[in-house]
Each structure stands twice: as C-alpha cells, then as structure tokens.
Amino acid sequence: MASIKIFGHATTTSTRRVLLALHEKNLDYELVNVELKDGEHKKEPFLSRNPFGQVPAFEDGDLKLFESRAITQYIAHRYGDQGNNLLPADSKNISHYAIMSIGMEVEAHQFDPAASKLAWEQLFKHIYGLTTDQAVVAEEEAKLAKVLDVYEARLKEFKYLAGETFTLTDLHHIPVIQYLLGTPTKKLFTERPRVNEWVAEITKRPASQKILQ
C-alpha cells in the first residue's frame, strides 16, 4: 500500500496540482475521493485533515499537510532525487530559487483568481445546471489578459516562467489551463505566440496527460 495518500477530488485544479507533482516524480500514491457535492470536505473526518474544509489534504507516512502549493513544494524537495526535477537546476542558488518563488506567488495571486473564475463560469457552472455570466467572463478575461501580457514578455527571454527549466512555477498553472483550453478563453493563450508555445510545452508533458485520464 502506498504511504502517500491524497484526500481530494480528481476534477479539482488543486487536487490535480498535487497529482501532477506525484506523476512528475513517478511516485505511487492512493487517491481517497472526497465527494464535494455531498459536502464531505466540510465534515469530519476531512476537517481533521484540513480545518478550512478545502481539498486536497495529504499524508506521507506520519506527515499531514494541506494547501496544494505547499504540498507540491514538499514533494519537490522530499523526493528531489526521483523522477523529474521540479526546482531550479541549481536549487541551492538563492537567486534562482527566489525567481521561482516569485513565479509561484504570481500564479497564486495574479493568474489563478481570474483563471479559476473563468473555468467556473464556462465549465463548472454547466455541470451544476447554472448559466454562465458573460459579464463576469469579460471582466475576468481582461484581468487574465494583463497577466498573460507579462508572461509573453517573460517568455521572450526564457523558455519557462522561472528560467530555462520546467519548475513548480509552470506546473502550478497546468490544471486550470487544461480546462480553459476547452473554452473560448483559449484565445487569450493562442493569440500570444510565446505563451502559446509555453502552454503547448507544459500541457504535452506525460504527467499532464496522465491527470486527464
């Protein structure tokens, strides 16, 4: 039995972030489904794993974690010698590490809020029988476009957002991008050449394909 357990739902971008890191590291794990539509994430025993009631929660032996971006960082460091490196090529170089950290912060606070709202409006609302609010879509696309303009400039200098190698900065973007590529918002990626190349590169990775299965 795998010592690593993820308590979450395979359709959520936060759970997929962790699954991506595990696949990149070729690690065995057990995914314990938390049924969101039944509110299991807001009840015990899940609340004992994350008192804020958000998926995923994570266990590796006796270690218990929550918050997907913290979990991926743990995986990248703890299993650094396995699978694909998810840290800067010279992870002991503080400057390089700081650049990756900036990228992760930008993803979490600038990119993801708009991207996740767009996925909700255009995909997940349909699942719940709700109607897309086109005014919200327009507002959030304008916000996302500004972020992608910054990315376009960055990607003219480097292959990936934190430099010349794939890192957690890039990985954290993948789940919601995969969803948005199936919506009209895809145009925001394809109309920016460098962003378009980057999206193609990170979404074709074997780990990225595995979480779609």
Side-chain angles (χ1 to χ4, degrees):
M1 181 178 293
S3 66
I4 296 175
K5 292 183 179 180
I6 307 98
F7 301 83
H9 197 287
T11 63
T12 67
T13 56
S14 54
T15 301
R16 287 186 171 194
R17 232 175 259 127
V18 175
L19 296 179
L20 272 170
L22 293 169
H23 284 304
E24 288 284 354
K25 289 296 183 181
N26 299 319
L27 296 171
D28 293 330
Y29 64 87
E30 178 185 354
L31 175 60
V32 180
N33 186 62
V34 177
E35 195 52 68
L36 303 182
K37 64 180 174 56
D38 293 337
E40 289 183 358
H41 55 309
K42 301 297 184 182
K43 307 171 186 175
E44 293 294 354
F46 186 81
L47 287 176
S48 65
R49 299 186 173 97
N50 182 352
F52 298 104
Q54 296 174 317
V55 294
F58 176 91
E59 291 181 5
D60 188 0
D62 294 331
L63 178 68
K64 295 177 172 58
L65 300 173
F66 56 88
E67 293 294 342
S68 63
R69 295 172 182 85
I71 296 168
T72 62
Q73 290 181 71
Y74 165 77
I75 293 168
H77 286 88
R78 171 65 179 81
Y79 297 98
D81 59 347
Q82 295 181 230
N84 297 316
N85 181 39
L86 299 176
L87 303 172
D90 181 5
S91 60
K92 294 182 179 180
N93 184 311
I94 300 301
S95 298
H96 293 176
Y97 198 90
I99 290 170
M100 183 188 76
S101 296
I102 289 171
M104 291 191 291
E105 290 291 316
V106 170
E107 182 275 329
H109 301 294
Q110 305 296 330
F111 176 88
D112 190 64
S116 289
K117 285 180 183 177
L118 287 165
W120 165 252
E121 285 292 336
Q122 297 176 95
L123 289 171
F124 293 106
K125 267 193 169 182
H126 296 169
I127 295 173
Y128 292 96
L130 303 172
T131 302
T132 296
D133 186 330
Q134 293 299 336
V136 172
V137 170
E139 180 181 353
E140 298 304 325
E141 283 194 338
K143 294 177 184 177
L144 184 60
K146 291 180 179 179
V147 178
L148 294 179
D149 285 342
V150 175
Y151 285 11
E152 181 73 6
R154 175 74 177 166
L155 293 165
K156 287 178 180 177
E157 299 182 53
F158 302 99
K159 183 175 182 180
Y160 298 100
L161 289 176
E164 295 302 326
T165 57
F166 178 85
T167 67
L168 290 174
T169 295
D170 307 289
L171 180 146
H172 289 174
H173 289 78
I174 293 172
V176 73
I177 286 177
Q178 288 177 321
Y179 280 125
L180 291 179
L181 291 179
T183 74
T185 298
K186 177 181 179 179
K187 66 181 181 293
L188 297 185
F189 302 108
T190 58
E191 67 192 15
R192 293 168 172 81
R194 306 292 187 184
V195 168
N196 192 45
E197 291 173 6
W198 169 72
V199 166
E201 186 71 25
I202 65 176
T203 56
K204 75 179 182 183
R205 294 176 69 86
S208 301
Q209 294 301 306
K210 283 181 180 178
I211 65 169
L212 294 176
Q213 296 171 0

